[in-house]
Amino acid sequence: MENCEVRHKHRSAKEEKDLISRLNRIEGQVRGVKAMVQDERYCTDILVQVSAIQSALNGFSRTLLSSHVKSCVVEEIKNGDADKAVDELCETIRKML
């Protein structure tokens, strides 16, 4: 393994609740699509729901990334690890695209 370090991020109760709520909605949407496939629903109807799931996941990612920049990245920069923080952020954004 290239990087075996396990890092943790403490989130406020509100931030955690909001993220979990988003994930629960997405999970429900995925279960709904599974049921649509099992019910032999029309392809276009399923694809519309898949698009909604992708949009919800993108929203989740944007929210998490924003929080990461405002907390983790800022903290690393304050601690003198600016180059590392920016490199990691750029790599993370690259992987998201």
Side-chain angles (χ1 to χ4, degrees), residues 21-87:
S21 177
R22 283 175 175 261
L23 289 171
N24 286 338
R25 281 194 304 274
I26 293 165
E27 183 180 20
Q29 288 175 298
V30 171
R31 281 194 307 271
V33 167
K34 179 180 178 182
M36 291 175 78
V37 170
Q38 291 170 330
D39 292 343
E40 298 181 348
R41 296 280 300 272
Y42 192 60
C43 299
T44 302
D45 296 338
I46 296 171
L47 289 168
V48 167
Q49 293 306 311
V50 169
S51 179
I53 293 167
Q54 289 171 330
S55 179
L57 281 169
N58 288 338
F60 175 86
S61 294
R62 284 190 303 272
T63 298
L64 190 58
L65 180 61
S66 176
S67 172
H68 175 65
V69 170
K70 291 176 182 177
S71 59
C72 302
V73 174
V74 168
E75 191 64 32
E76 286 183 20
I77 290 170
K78 286 180 181 177
N79 290 336
D81 293 329
D83 289 340
K84 178 185 171 196
V86 171
D87 288 346

